[in-house]
């Protein structure tokens, strides 16, 4: 690790520059953004560097030229005009009551008014904001820069609570509307967030806001590219290889598999998750760092409320309108895409369709593990041990023990899931075999009320067929008739053919037959 200091959890540009933290230079892209327009919106997953970008822009607009010494913008910018900066950070609040948002906005406005004054006629939050913008411009003679970090935090925390969402929307809509009404006083504005709430939401009147989230020129404004890794962390790569007793190339491949793979538009190079990357270099070992900082439960609530078939997540197809027009609480896939759990894997230019999938191993394994307690009776502590036992039983050729354990996964099916039992069976099977598949080879397919599955280990191959309200005998017969096992009959590994039937009455596996 040497003497390098990694800015893990540090989002203040001035602190990073003054205290000698590693900084990947994004200032050329920042400068390009500033010079290409006035009003922008950027959606990126959490821990992707949005707050650092906002802080960098704040230092730039405050003309703190010394902080940019040696960076690209030092030679690009000739004027360094100091202007008023209004920075609103919504990341700091807990938004669980109607007045919780008002308190945060009021506190910020109080501070701005201590700098630029107030007027008695400004009685609403939006009027106060507009008044501050106007006076800041009048007093300084320079148009204002407005930077809003995590604009959507209140709305995200209120997903599932329609009344609270409505309250927050009614507050934020006129507040953000100031960006349009005070246009003559504003030089630049950037709003960042995880999600894009659609036209029935806070941006419906804000048609001057340019969404750059899927614009190719700004794809790498947050996150780290492979080229930037080799420019900034070459020595760290060699140290990591030595620490992990791997070759340099093996380390590069492992970093790519674990943390690369984010594509925010079609046909672009992958972006690495900066938080996981920096943690890996700091600790000199691989880990699920992004997931350890917490996954919001609203994502699972969206999936469950919409009775979503989890198997679709690995190969979901959608178009740009769906990805870009979010209604926040009734469309799970766009929100999950923008939250960073899915990314663009392919693009059909003819039909304008995006194919989505998990960006990398950290996200795929972490998200599937996170789902388990919501779909089974096992909690976060129990779930990993259950999967470990599943894997051991499959590796040691014990299908009976495996299916007895699988029965326990379907025991005590939550009442709210009873309405769609078939989907519940499929989702639990998907979670179990996806997790088992991280340690074995598992291929899982569903269609028309049935599931077929192939699991391979070093010594065994399992070909399984699952029926709903049929019989285990019929399932086994289908394996024979469809010749599912034929591709493996020349394989030296021991082959198990297994027919399984689910019963709606017991809400569980009714019977299995092993041949």
């Amino acid at each position: 690790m040497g003497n390098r200091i990694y800015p893990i959890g540090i989002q203040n540009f001035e602190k990073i520059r003054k205290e000698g933290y590693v900084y990947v230079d994004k200032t050329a892209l920042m400068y390009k953004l500033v010079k290409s327009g006035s009003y922008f919106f950027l959606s990126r997953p959490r821990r992707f560097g949005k707050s650092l970008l906002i802080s960098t822009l704040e230092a730039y607009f405050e003309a703190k030229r010394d902080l940019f010494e040696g960076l690209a913008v030092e030679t690009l910018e000739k004027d360094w005009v100091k202007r008023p900066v209004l920075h609103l950070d919504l990341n700091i609040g807990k938004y669980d009551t109607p007045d919780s948002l008002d308190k945060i906005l009021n506190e910020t406005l109080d501070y701005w008014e201590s700098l630029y004054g107030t007027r008695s006629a400004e009685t609403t939050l939006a009027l106060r904001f507009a008044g501050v913008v106007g006076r800041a411009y009048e007093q300084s003679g320079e148009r204002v820069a407005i930077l809003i970090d995590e604009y959507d935090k209140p709305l995200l925390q209120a997903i599932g609570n329609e009344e609270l969402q409505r309250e927050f929307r009614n507050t934020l809509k006129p507040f953000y509307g100031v960006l349009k009404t005070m246009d003559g006083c504003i030089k630049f504005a950037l709003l960042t967030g995880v999600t894009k709430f659609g036209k029935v939401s806070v941006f419906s009147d804000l048609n001057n806001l340019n969404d750059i989230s899927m614009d190719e020129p700004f794809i790498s404004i947050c996150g780290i590219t492979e080229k930037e890794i080799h420019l900034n962390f070459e020595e760290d790569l060699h140290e990591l290889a030595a620490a992990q007793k791997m070759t340099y190339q093996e380390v590069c491949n492992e970093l790519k598999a674990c943390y690369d793979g984010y594509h925010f538009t079609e046909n672009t190079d992958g972006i690495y998750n900066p938080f996981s990357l920096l943690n890996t270099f700091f600790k000199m070992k691989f880990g699920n760092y992004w997931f350890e900082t917490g996954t919001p439960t609203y994502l699972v609530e969206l999936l469950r409320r919409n009775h979503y078939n989890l198997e679709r997540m690995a190969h979901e197809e959608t178009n740009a309108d769906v990805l870009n027009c979010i209604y926040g609480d009734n469309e799970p896939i766009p929100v999950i895409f923008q939250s960073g759990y899915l990314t663009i894997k392919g693009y059909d230019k003819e039909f304008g369709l995006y194919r989505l999938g998990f960006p990398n191993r950290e996200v795929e394994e972490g998200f599937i593990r996170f789902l388990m307690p919501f779909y089974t009776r096992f909690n976060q502590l129990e779930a990993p041990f259950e999967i470990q036992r599943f894997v051991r039983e499959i590796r040691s050729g014990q299908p009976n023990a495996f299916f007895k354990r699988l029965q326990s996964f379907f025991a005590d099916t939550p009442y709210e899931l009873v309405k769609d039992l078939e989907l519940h069976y499929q989702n639990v099977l998907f979670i179990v075999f996806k997790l088992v598949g991280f340690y074995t080879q598992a291929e899982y397919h569903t269609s028309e009320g049935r599931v077929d599955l192939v699991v391979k280990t070093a010594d065994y191959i399992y070909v399984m067929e699952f029926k709903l309200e049929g019989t285990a005998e019929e399932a086994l017969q289908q394996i024979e008739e469809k010749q599912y096992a034929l591709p493996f009959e020349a394989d030296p590994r021991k082959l198990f053919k297994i027919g399984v039937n689910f019963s709606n009455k017991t809400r569980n596996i009714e019977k299995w037959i092993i041949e």
Side-chain angles (χ1 to χ4, degrees):
M1 195 167 65
N3 297 319
R4 284 160 73 78
I5 321 171
Y6 301 95
I8 296 166
I10 297 171
Q11 300 163 344
N12 184 274
F13 178 72
E14 185 165 346
K15 181 176 180 178
I16 286 172
R17 296 295 288 164
K18 282 189 172 178
E19 297 185 14
Y21 286 89
V22 176
Y23 177 69
V24 176
D25 189 357
K26 300 287 184 179
T27 61
L29 278 175
M30 178 201 73
Y31 181 80
K32 183 176 183 177
L33 181 67
V34 168
K35 297 301 178 185
S36 60
S38 291
Y39 300 94
F40 297 98
F41 170 69
L42 176 69
S43 162
R44 283 293 179 268
R46 63 189 174 85
R47 301 282 189 174
F48 236 82
K50 300 187 298 294
S51 296
L52 177 56
L53 173 63
I54 289 278
S55 179
T56 309
L57 282 161
E58 185 171 19
Y60 167 78
F61 283 120
E62 288 176 346
K64 294 182 177 179
R65 188 172 185 172
D66 58 313
L67 299 178
F68 295 91
E69 191 177 328
L71 301 179
V73 75
E74 183 188 28
T75 55
L76 293 169
E77 182 58 79
K78 308 300 180 192
D79 299 329
W80 294 96
V81 174
K82 183 178 181 180
R83 56 183 75 251
V85 178
L86 302 177
H87 180 181
L88 171 63
D89 185 0
L90 290 181
N91 208 23
I92 58 174
K94 184 180 181 184
Y95 304 98
D96 51 2
T97 60
D99 67 341
S100 53
L101 174 59
D102 290 1
K103 286 176 181 174
I104 295 288
L105 295 178
N106 187 59
E107 189 177 330
T108 305
L109 285 164
D110 277 350
Y111 171 68
W112 291 342
E113 286 166 343
S114 73
L115 299 176
Y116 301 110
T118 184
R119 291 195 184 110
S120 58
E122 294 164 2
T123 52
T124 68
L125 294 167
L127 284 173
R128 290 171 66 192
F129 185 23
V132 166
V133 172
R135 285 188 294 278
Y137 172 49
E138 288 165 13
Q139 292 168 24
S140 67
E142 297 292 345
R143 288 191 169 87
V144 179
I146 298 174
L147 306 170
I148 300 177
D149 200 8
E150 304 290 1
Y151 92 96
D152 55 351
K153 192 72 176 282
L155 298 166
L156 284 174
Q157 288 192 1
I159 276 185
N161 185 336
E162 288 184 24
E163 190 176 333
L164 194 56
Q165 277 237 331
R166 197 179 308 112
E167 292 269 4
F168 290 159
R169 283 183 176 130
N170 290 342
T171 299
L172 290 174
K173 200 171 175 181
F175 191 84
Y176 292 144
V178 170
L179 297 180
K180 188 172 183 180
T181 57
M182 299 301 291
D183 176 47
C185 304
I186 299 169
K187 171 67 176 176
F188 180 88
L190 173 67
L191 284 78
T192 71
V194 170
T195 56
K196 307 170 200 174
F197 285 79
K199 57 191 174 190
V200 296
S201 186
V202 295
F203 292 154
S204 57
D205 300 326
L206 212 58
N207 54 12
N208 59 338
L209 201 61
N210 183 1
D211 182 357
I212 60 165
S213 306
M214 294 180 72
D215 287 3
E216 191 171 344
F218 301 108
I219 287 302
S220 61
I221 200 165
C222 292
I224 297 176
T225 65
E226 194 160 305
K227 184 179 179 182
E228 287 170 333
I229 290 175
H230 292 292
L231 277 172
N232 294 274
F233 301 101
E234 196 65 26
E235 189 181 325
D236 310 69
L237 290 170
H238 287 285
E239 286 186 38
L240 181 59
Q244 292 299 311
K245 297 180 172 55
M246 299 166 76
T247 67
Y248 171 83
Q249 193 55 52
E250 284 171 344
V251 154
C252 292
N253 293 344
E254 186 69 5
L255 276 177
K256 193 174 186 68
C258 289
Y259 311 126
D260 187 20
Y262 290 91
H263 298 272
F264 301 108
T265 191
E266 67 274 14
N267 305 323
T268 54
D269 292 335
I271 305 289
Y272 285 71
N273 180 320
F275 185 78
S276 295
L277 200 67
L278 292 173
N279 269 284
T280 301
F281 290 138
F282 177 73
K283 297 179 190 294
M284 282 292 145
K285 66 178 183 180
F286 296 94
N288 290 339
Y289 301 111
W290 190 62
F291 258 89
E292 288 166 5
T293 61
T295 296
T297 55
Y298 68 78
L299 295 174
V300 185
E301 293 305 320
L302 283 174
L303 291 169
R304 285 172 56 177
R305 196 182 315 135
N306 287 272
H307 299 289
Y308 185 78
N309 183 341
L310 296 175
E311 192 203 359
R312 285 172 50 196
M313 287 186 78
H315 46 78
E316 182 72 63
E317 282 197 333
T318 189
N319 60 33
D321 288 341
V322 173
L323 291 183
N324 285 312
C325 193
I326 306 312
Y327 298 96
D329 48 8
N330 61 3
E331 278 284 345
I333 287 307
V335 176
I336 288 168
F337 163 71
Q338 289 162 16
S339 300
Y341 297 88
L342 293 177
T343 195
I344 293 167
K345 289 288 190 180
Y347 181 65
D348 185 325
K349 190 175 180 180
E350 184 180 4
F351 297 102
L353 289 176
Y354 292 92
R355 181 172 59 81
L356 306 181
F358 295 107
N360 52 49
R361 195 164 70 229
E362 179 188 21
V363 173
E364 182 173 20
E365 188 170 351
F367 194 56
I368 301 297
R369 284 185 185 279
F370 180 74
L371 288 173
M372 190 193 282
F374 294 91
Y375 286 86
T376 73
R377 65 188 183 90
F378 295 99
N379 62 34
Q380 291 281 47
L381 291 173
E382 297 167 325
F385 293 102
E386 288 299 311
I387 289 299
Q388 186 183 50
R389 292 179 186 116
F390 271 133
V391 173
R392 283 176 179 168
E393 286 157 359
I394 281 185
R395 282 177 176 168
S396 59
Q398 300 179 63
N400 272 312
F402 175 86
F403 276 98
K404 282 176 186 169
R405 189 172 308 285
L406 191 58
Q407 272 184 323
S408 70
F409 263 65
F410 290 99
D412 304 324
T413 299
Y415 178 76
E416 66 270 19
L417 298 171
V418 174
K419 296 171 192 169
D420 199 342
L421 266 175
E422 183 180 329
L423 182 63
H424 177 60
Y425 296 144
Q426 290 187 0
N427 282 342
V428 172
L429 286 173
F430 173 77
I431 290 168
V432 169
F433 287 111
K434 197 74 176 165
L435 290 173
V436 166
F438 290 120
Y439 308 96
T440 65
Q441 282 183 277
E443 296 172 30
Y444 174 96
H445 310 280
T446 65
S447 64
E448 297 174 10
R450 45 168 281 270
V451 178
D452 66 80
L453 177 81
V454 176
V455 179
K456 302 174 191 173
T457 71
D459 302 308
Y460 303 97
I461 295 176
Y462 300 83
V463 177
M464 310 180 204
E465 178 66 33
F466 296 81
K467 288 281 185 185
L468 175 62
E469 286 295 294
T471 67
E473 288 80 3
E474 287 171 357
L476 196 59
Q477 187 181 348
Q478 185 160 323
I479 291 174
E480 298 294 349
E481 288 177 354
K482 301 281 188 181
Q483 297 186 315
Y484 291 154
L486 188 62
F488 314 111
E489 286 182 354
D491 197 292
R493 288 173 284 189
K494 183 172 180 180
L495 178 66
F496 289 104
K497 291 182 270 191
I498 306 169
V500 187
N501 185 56
F502 284 99
S503 162
N504 276 339
K505 186 177 179 183
T506 63
R507 303 209 297 270
N508 209 320
I509 295 173
E510 174 252 343
K511 183 181 179 182
W512 65 87
I513 301 174
I514 301 169
E515 189 179 282

